[in-house]
Amino acid sequence: MDKLLAKHFPEIDGLFEHQKTVLSFIEKNMKTLSVVPTGGGKSLIFQLASLKQQGTTIVISPLKALMIEQVIELNKRGINAISINSDISFQEQRKLLRTLGIKPPKLLYVSPERLHNQFFRAALLHGIKIIPLVVIDEAHCISQWGIDFRPEYGAIKPFIEFLQDNDYFPTVLALTATLGIQARHDIETEFEIDKTNIEPNVIRTDLKLNFEEVSDDKSKVELIKSFIKTNNLIKVIVYLYSINKCEELSHEFPGSTFFHAALDPAVKLSRMEEFKNSDSSLLFATTAFGMGINIPDVDGIIHHDIPGSVEEYYQHVGRAARDNTKCPIGNCLMLWSEKNFDIKAQDIKRDSIKKEHLIKAMELLGLPYSVDNKVIVDENVFTVNDGKYGRPNMKLIYRIFEKHGICTTIGEIHGKPRSIGFKKPTTAWQEIVGSLKPGRNNYLVAAKKSGYSLQQIINHVYEQELAGNIEKLPATERQLIIEAHYDSLSEEQIDLFLKENAEIQKVKKARLDELMQLCTSSDKQLYIAKVLGVPYSS
């Protein structure tokens, strides 16, 4: 390991003890959860592990910016790494997957949404012989009890089971910078973690935490200006939750800029690089900015809007002073009022799931109308906005349905039978499409009429795609294949789901209350340590 470090990362003198510990667990094929503070070298752990082992390490991350940044950096260091993400054109994605086996990468970065994709799975089976390690980055996104919960992370466990069913038996490494006690238990249970490694310095003394109560939001602008001037801050991120507010506030600060999810991908990449490489900058951003990105010299983090919990707050401020040789102190300020906390509490209450949402979700997923217990739905069903009952959180409800066995995801496919164009149609494909009546364009109908099973049809499409025999594979026609285990919900099931959701809302409110207590706590670091369940002595 020392030789690999010296060869590929010569600027790093040696490994921290927590890195050595986790690497020793991986070498023993032990499933591990590691909680390491921002700047503690989480990525280096799996990058070194991938170099030590044969095969391709799969890194699951929700952060496109992190994928792009790490892939560029690894390639510069002579390490073959690729990422497959939505910023890459669909045609380029197809090319990468078709050629995956020609020179298999040491690290393959993907988003959790990719894991259900049947083409991605087929390409792995076709091109990758050994998968020694699956890395779950930003692991706090797994648990509904954790900050930044992402229902898409529900695809990870079925994906690992898919690998095992196909004779790949990877070790699992889950990594995060901040994790509460309940969320930690959730992750350990879901992935049957053998070892949990909590770095003793999760609570960082190089962060100066300031909290300022305000009478109204108008006064926040002047307080931000004053805080930057008083502390001589050079590179500052101001966090908000509103896209419009990011742009609006940026106009009040000459020379500043803004960053949010609605920007064009090229603009986002440009602004990220601009902020990262500048000596002095002020950025107004939504809270995803900075996650996993190596910006070593941020000396100021300001919360214009309050986060939802102590965990989320500490995740954000941890993005300051990542490298104390370039930035020894991170000055942090959270601006808050009782009204801000009241509004946040109302948001939590408004986001609760209702009975009508569950019933509507069953309809939108088509579960009552399954064919041979199968349904196929367009991906846009997960962004549906229903005017009568408000917006059902389809991603969250689908995760609940999967968790309780209402349905199971078989996989994601591109295109419909008649929409796919073969260069040289095979006999099988002619029989499949020929079984459809004019005007019909449905995989389930084709499976029922052609004599081929649904999985055989899907396998055939992607076998031919990998062989280069498919000319047209629609990028925008993305569908999810679901196996339905129930065609309706009983009152008992509805009551169970609503009670579970009510408990989660209750916990979210309790965490918001913890954050309010932090604002007036005398020993901020000690209070944070107790909430996170990590060691610290003041």
Side-chain angles (χ1 to χ4, degrees):
M1 202 65 76
D2 289 339
K3 288 179 181 178
L4 289 170
L5 185 68
K7 178 181 178 182
H8 294 286
F9 305 91
E11 75 281 9
I12 299 174
D13 294 331
L15 296 173
F16 295 123
E17 283 304 314
H18 66 267
Q19 293 173 315
K20 293 177 183 177
T21 300
V22 177
L23 283 165
S24 71
F25 293 156
I26 294 170
E27 285 190 311
K28 295 171 188 173
N29 298 320
M30 301 176 80
K31 290 172 283 188
T32 306
L33 167 64
S34 186
V35 183
V36 180
T38 304
K42 291 187 295 295
S43 299
L44 185 61
I45 295 172
F46 62 77
Q47 289 167 354
L48 278 177
S50 72
L51 293 170
K52 185 82 181 286
Q53 298 172 311
Q54 289 186 325
T56 297
T57 289
I58 295 178
V59 183
I60 302 165
S61 171
L63 310 172
K64 283 186 288 187
L66 174 140
M67 293 187 204
I68 294 166
E69 180 187 57
Q70 291 200 5
V71 166
I72 291 171
E73 183 63 29
L74 287 167
N75 287 334
K76 284 180 183 176
R77 295 175 183 273
I79 300 167
N80 183 15
I82 64 172
S83 70
I84 300 174
N85 63 74
S86 57
D87 280 0
I88 302 170
S89 73
F90 183 59
Q91 297 309 319
E92 182 62 24
Q93 290 178 41
R94 289 177 65 191
K95 182 180 176 182
L96 280 171
L97 290 172
R98 282 198 303 267
T99 58
L100 200 57
I102 295 174
K103 189 182 178 183
K106 290 304 295 180
L107 295 111
L108 172 59
Y109 289 78
V110 295
S111 67
E113 294 91 336
R114 179 79 48 181
L115 304 179
H116 279 316
N117 186 277
Q118 293 277 331
F119 183 22
F120 173 69
R121 290 186 172 194
L124 285 183
L125 298 184
H126 179 76
I128 305 297
K129 304 302 180 189
I130 303 171
I131 301 174
L133 182 65
V134 170
V135 179
I136 307 169
D137 202 14
E138 307 297 339
H140 55 270
C141 298
I142 293 168
S143 172
Q144 277 187 256
W145 309 107
I147 59 171
D148 295 330
F149 167 65
R150 294 178 184 241
E152 301 89 344
Y153 266 60
I156 297 175
K157 188 176 181 180
F159 173 70
I160 292 171
E161 290 169 349
F162 157 79
L163 293 178
Q164 291 168 342
D165 289 342
N166 287 278
D167 296 324
Y168 298 90
F169 297 97
T171 302
V172 175
L173 171 63
L175 292 161
T176 184
T178 312
L179 195 64
I181 298 168
Q182 204 166 4
R184 190 187 311 157
H185 175 72
D186 219 15
I187 295 165
E188 290 167 345
T189 301
E190 178 147 354
F191 292 96
E192 299 174 331
I193 296 294
D194 298 318
K195 288 286 185 181
T196 297
N197 182 68
I198 300 174
E199 209 275 313
N201 296 319
V202 169
I203 303 303
R204 293 170 51 192
T205 55
D206 57 353
L207 300 176
K208 288 187 177 180
L209 309 180
N210 301 277
F211 296 79
E212 185 83 33
E213 186 174 7
V214 299
S215 55
D216 56 60
D217 277 10
K218 290 181 181 178
S219 61
K220 290 183 177 181
V221 171
E222 291 308 315
L223 286 168
I224 291 171
K225 290 178 179 178
S226 173
F227 186 74
I228 291 172
K229 184 177 180 180
T230 302
N231 292 284
N232 298 312
L233 301 183
I234 298 171
K235 187 175 283 191
V236 182
I237 304 173
V238 181
Y239 280 125
L240 305 100
Y241 287 84
S242 163
I243 287 174
N244 292 336
K245 196 71 175 175
C246 279
E247 298 190 15
E248 180 187 317
L249 274 182
S250 178
H251 296 319
E252 297 197 38
F253 289 77
S256 70
T257 188
F258 58 86
F259 184 100
H260 53 67
L263 293 172
D264 180 82
V267 174
K268 283 194 288 187
L269 183 60
S270 171
R271 291 197 180 173
M272 183 189 76
E273 288 299 314
E274 191 178 297
F275 181 79
K276 181 180 175 181
N277 297 320
S278 67
D279 294 326
S280 174
S281 191
L282 173 60
L283 180 72
F284 291 86
T286 46
T287 56
F289 183 85
M291 282 181 72
I293 304 170
N294 185 22
I295 306 176
D297 56 346
V298 173
D299 61 354
I301 297 287
I302 299 173
H303 281 88
H304 177 281
D305 296 348
I306 63 171
S309 68
V310 172
E311 290 169 70
E312 187 177 3
Y313 167 76
Y314 212 58
Q315 180 82 242
H316 296 166
V317 297
R319 298 165 193 174
R322 286 177 61 114
D323 184 343
N324 57 25
T325 63
K326 296 182 178 179
C327 178
I329 295 293
N331 288 280
C332 309
L333 173 66
M334 190 176 104
L335 302 170
W336 67 279
S337 67
E338 288 192 14
K339 183 180 179 182
N340 292 157
F341 277 96
D342 288 341
I343 291 171
K344 201 81 169 179
Q346 290 168 19
D347 289 341
I348 292 171
K349 189 175 181 180
R350 187 169 55 248
D351 287 344
S352 63
I353 292 173
K354 299 175 177 62
K355 178 179 178 179
E356 293 86 355
H357 293 158
L358 297 168
I359 295 170
K360 183 68 176 177
M362 291 288 288
E363 289 285 326
L364 290 169
L365 293 169
L367 299 183
Y369 319 111
S370 63
V371 178
D372 295 331
N373 296 328
K374 305 286 192 307
V375 294
I376 298 180
V377 296
D378 289 333
E379 287 280 355
N380 62 15
V381 76
F382 293 101
T383 57
V384 70
N385 189 2
D386 180 73
K388 186 176 180 182
Y389 297 121
R391 185 184 178 92
N393 187 336
M394 288 297 294
K395 289 182 179 179
L396 175 57
I397 294 173
Y398 187 70
R399 173 80 159 118
I400 292 169
F401 285 176
E402 280 197 302
K403 175 184 173 184
H404 290 281
I406 303 301
C407 58
T408 304
T409 303
I410 294 175
E412 178 195 82
I413 52 173
H414 288 280
K416 299 173 183 177
R418 292 188 188 278
S419 309
I420 296 171
F422 278 59
K423 292 177 182 177
K424 293 181 180 179
T426 63
T427 301
W429 193 246
Q430 289 173 328
E431 290 173 353
I432 290 163
V433 174
S435 71
L436 294 168
K437 291 181 179 179
R440 301 302 297 271
N441 195 16
N442 186 292
Y443 279 106
L444 292 176
V445 175
K448 198 166 187 177
K449 300 291 186 182
S450 68
Y452 293 89
S453 72
L454 179 61
Q455 194 60 57
Q456 284 175 323
I457 295 173
I458 294 166
N459 290 347
H460 186 69
V461 170
Y462 292 122
E463 283 168 4
Q464 294 300 308
E465 165 68 357
L466 290 167
N469 190 32
I470 291 188
E471 196 166 37
K472 180 186 175 186
L473 190 65
T476 55
E477 285 186 11
R478 291 173 57 205
Q479 300 176 294
L480 199 66
I481 309 169
I482 301 169
E483 185 168 3
H485 304 300
Y486 290 87
D487 58 11
S488 63
L489 296 176
S490 68
E491 288 298 322
E492 290 81 4
Q493 286 170 323
I494 290 172
D495 286 344
L496 173 63
F497 301 160
L498 294 180
K499 283 176 183 176
E500 278 191 1
N501 186 250
E503 182 61 28
I504 290 166
Q505 302 302 311
K506 184 179 175 182
V507 170
K508 284 183 179 178
K509 178 60 171 63
R511 287 181 174 163
L512 187 64
D513 293 341
E514 285 175 343
L515 181 66
M516 193 168 186
Q517 290 177 43
L518 173 64
C519 294
T520 55
S521 172
S522 57
D523 191 330
K524 302 283 192 285
Q525 274 93 347
L526 181 60
Y527 184 84
I528 291 168
K530 287 180 179 177
V531 170
L532 299 182
V534 298
Y536 175 75
S537 58
S538 54

